[in-house]
């Protein structure tokens, strides 16, 4: 039986570990926290997961929430006009329902399920010496957690990483009491030109159904203001910013309460693609997974989706590889299967961090009056590869607009 060790008990690490256990592999997952510690800790993300990523979970029997988690049936886009109104707006239904489950709810249950199916959990803060030991004991070591010294093992891929610094100051708050959207449950995506973005989405947290509020501010701008705030202060700041920049959203948020003391998060990071193979001091090689190798800004909500897709790609690559050695060539091949999809999500996400070019403004304008265009944009969040056929290139955009007008 081939032995695989996965360092990191998040979306990708546990999904891959459970998939491998089901196929008869000997799998250890390393976590720096117990399930109880995760559940009692602070929120970690906003995690809107679309149809393709959720299907990977269902295929492994990992959908334990069903209707307990609010459905995300659509996505609405609003562009602020800078004067308290909207320059344009559109809304469309998702072809496949999306969901957001607080990782404090999901990961403890998945850790228990992994152990129930026969996996081993090793609770420790893994360092370089631990990776060396895992490499000596295992046929393959996969790193799905990239903090501390471990993060420095994976070299930044300069050709695929256009940003050396954070492009947004990030802050999210989990709340109850938000008035639902008038048309359908879903994501509200608000663009404040030159300042940043604001999102909402329904979710399931440790205390039950809730909504997530999420600001992304251009560094140094008026939304870059969340450092050092206590949870109640962060919520109050959110409400003030809504009244100033997106008053139509403020109307939904007059009677909010925090879900819990750990329901806020703030920080920033530089979007980065890293090379997938890292070499330990001994010469042993390990493979990076999900955010360790492709870390996108959350402006397009691709993080958990990329993690699920990466786990699925690596699972397929391992199963296809059979009994052959897990050498660097295999690791590059496994990453390549993921990158074939992730490069589209990465390029689109990076583009959305900049000022929209003229052809994108024209497409958004068309979406505000044409449901067909709105639906195509909204469903691109599930499969960003489609954007390269009509959205990312000015000529393709003009051809598309001409085709729908004829």
């Amino acid at each position: 039986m081939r032995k695989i060790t996965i360092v990191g008990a998040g979306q990708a690490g546990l999904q891959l570990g459970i998939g491998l256990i089901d196929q008869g592999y000997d799998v250890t997952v390393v976590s720096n926290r117990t399930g109880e510690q995760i559940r009692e800790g602070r929120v970690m993300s906003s995690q809107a997961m679309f149809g393709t990523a959720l299907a990977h979970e269902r295929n492994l029997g990992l959908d334990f929430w069903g209707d307990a988690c609010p459905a995300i049936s659509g996505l609405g886009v609003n562009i602020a006009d800078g004067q308290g109104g909207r320059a344009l707006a559109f809304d469309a239904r998702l072809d496949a329902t999306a969901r957001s489950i607080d990782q404090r709810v999901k990961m403890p249950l998945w850790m228990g399920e992994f152990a129930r199916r026969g996996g081993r959990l090793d609770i420790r803060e893994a360092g370089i010496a631990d990776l060396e030991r895992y490499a000596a004991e295992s046929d393959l070591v996969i790193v799905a957690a990239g903090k501390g010294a471990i993060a420095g093992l994976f070299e930044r891929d300069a050709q695929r990483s256009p940003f050396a610094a954070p492009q947004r100051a990030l802050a999210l708050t989990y709340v109850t009491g938000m008035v639902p959207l008038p048309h359908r449950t879903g994501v509200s995506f608000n663009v404040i030109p030159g300042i940043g973005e604001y999102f909402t989405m329904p979710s399931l947290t440790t205390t039950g159904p809730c909504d997530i509020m999420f600001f992304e501010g251009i560094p140094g701008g008026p939304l870059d203001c969340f450092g050092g705030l206590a949870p109640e202060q962060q919520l109050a700041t959110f409400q003030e910013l809504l009244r100033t920049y997106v008053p139509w959203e403020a109307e939904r948020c007059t009677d909010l309460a925090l879900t819990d003391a750990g329901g806020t998060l703030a920080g920033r990071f530089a979007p980065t693609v890293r090379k997938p193979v890292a070499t330990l001091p001994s010469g042993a090689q390990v493979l990076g997974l999900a955010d360790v190798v492709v870390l996108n800004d959350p402006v397009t909500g691709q993080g958990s989706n990329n993690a699920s897709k990466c786990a699925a790609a690596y699972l397929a690559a391992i199963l296809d590889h059979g009994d052959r050695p897990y050498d660097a060539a295999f690791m590059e091949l496994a990453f390549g299967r993921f990158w074939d999809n992730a490069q589209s999500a990465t390029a689109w996400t990076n583009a959305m961090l900049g000022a929209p070019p003229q052809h994108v403004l024209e497409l958004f304008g068309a979406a505000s009056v044409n449901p067909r265009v709105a639906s195509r944009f909204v469903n691109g969040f599930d499969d960003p590869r489609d954007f390269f056929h009509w959205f990312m290139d000015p000529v393709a955009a003009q051809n598309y607009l001409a085709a729908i007008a004829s």
Side-chain angles (χ1 to χ4, degrees):
M1 183 184 298
R2 309 203 80 181
K3 182 174 181 179
I4 296 177
T5 299
I6 302 170
V7 180
Q11 173 73 41
L14 285 169
Q15 181 183 315
L16 176 57
I18 290 169
L20 290 168
I21 284 286
D22 287 352
Q23 295 296 323
Y25 288 75
D26 179 354
V27 184
T28 297
V29 167
V30 183
S31 174
N32 65 347
R33 291 185 290 171
T34 65
E36 181 179 1
Q37 288 171 329
I38 292 171
R39 185 174 180 87
E40 297 301 321
R42 186 166 295 280
V43 294
M44 295 174 276
S45 67
S46 55
Q47 73 279 311
M49 297 188 67
F50 298 97
T52 300
L54 293 179
H56 292 315
E57 295 184 358
R58 287 193 298 271
N59 290 341
L60 296 175
L62 294 176
D63 179 9
F64 298 115
W65 296 273
D67 293 338
C69 181
I72 297 174
S73 59
L75 188 148
V77 177
N78 304 288
I79 311 293
D81 64 7
Q83 300 176 353
R86 285 173 274 196
L88 61 85
F90 59 90
D91 174 273
R93 180 172 294 276
L94 288 162
D95 293 338
T97 299
R99 297 189 188 276
S100 170
I101 300 170
D102 185 347
Q103 293 190 25
R104 299 178 301 174
V105 173
K106 178 186 280 189
M107 299 314 155
L109 197 154
W110 277 16
M111 289 171 76
E113 182 67 9
F114 171 73
R116 188 191 69 79
R117 296 191 193 187
R120 287 189 299 276
L121 287 167
D122 185 7
I123 308 299
R124 68 175 62 243
E125 186 73 59
I128 303 296
D130 298 292
L131 290 186
E132 293 280 23
R133 178 168 55 83
Y134 297 138
E137 298 171 349
S138 309
D139 295 295
L140 174 64
V141 175
I142 299 173
V143 179
K147 295 182 179 179
I150 290 178
L153 290 172
F154 292 88
E155 180 186 354
R156 179 175 178 268
D157 189 331
Q159 291 186 331
R160 293 170 170 170
S161 302
F163 304 119
Q167 299 300 294
R168 293 292 189 272
L170 311 171
L172 60 84
T173 303
Y174 281 49
V175 299
T176 57
M178 184 181 292
V179 176
L181 290 166
H183 302 300
R184 62 175 63 94
T185 59
V187 174
S188 179
F189 178 7
N190 301 273
V191 179
I192 311 165
I195 294 175
E197 298 82 23
Y198 170 72
F199 309 84
T200 70
M201 70 189 73
S203 186
L204 179 69
T205 189
T206 56
T207 56
C210 68
D211 284 279
I212 301 174
M213 311 166 73
F214 188 10
F215 270 111
E216 293 218 1
I218 294 175
L223 303 186
D224 184 1
C225 60
F226 296 101
L229 296 182
E232 292 288 353
Q233 292 174 314
Q234 180 159 311
L235 176 56
T237 301
F238 268 48
Q239 291 174 301
E240 179 61 29
L241 291 171
L242 293 182
R243 289 189 288 269
T244 302
Y245 295 105
V246 281
W248 58 90
E249 292 285 356
E251 295 170 1
R252 304 171 57 205
C253 300
T254 59
D255 191 23
L256 299 182
L258 294 170
T259 57
D260 64 286
T264 63
L265 187 67
R268 66 191 72 204
F269 59 83
T272 305
V273 177
R274 297 183 178 91
K275 296 182 180 180
V277 182
T279 302
L280 302 177
S282 67
Q285 293 176 311
V286 297
L287 171 63
L289 173 69
D291 280 358
V292 171
V293 287
V294 179
L295 181 63
N296 288 342
D297 188 278
V299 68
T300 59
Q302 295 301 299
S304 292
N305 295 277
N306 277 346
S308 178
K309 293 172 183 178
C310 190
Y314 282 19
L315 176 61
I318 290 169
L319 297 182
D320 288 347
H321 199 64
D323 295 330
R324 288 171 287 170
Y326 297 120
D327 55 14
F330 161 77
M331 295 179 187
E332 293 283 357
L333 177 65
F335 174 76
R337 292 177 74 148
F338 168 55
W339 183 247
D340 283 346
N341 186 297
Q343 63 181 327
S344 297
T346 299
W348 172 56
T349 299
N350 289 343
M352 292 293 283
L353 291 169
Q358 182 60 35
H359 76 275
V360 169
L361 295 175
E362 293 173 4
L363 289 169
F364 282 162
S368 69
V369 297
N370 188 321
R372 178 178 167 188
V373 183
S375 178
R376 189 166 188 183
F377 178 77
V378 164
N379 282 285
F381 281 77
D382 184 27
D383 186 0
R385 292 174 296 183
D386 183 56
F387 286 121
F388 287 79
H389 299 298
W390 69 287
F391 186 85
M392 294 291 288
D393 177 74
V395 174
Q398 292 305 317
N399 291 339
Y400 175 66
L401 290 172
I404 63 171
S406 61

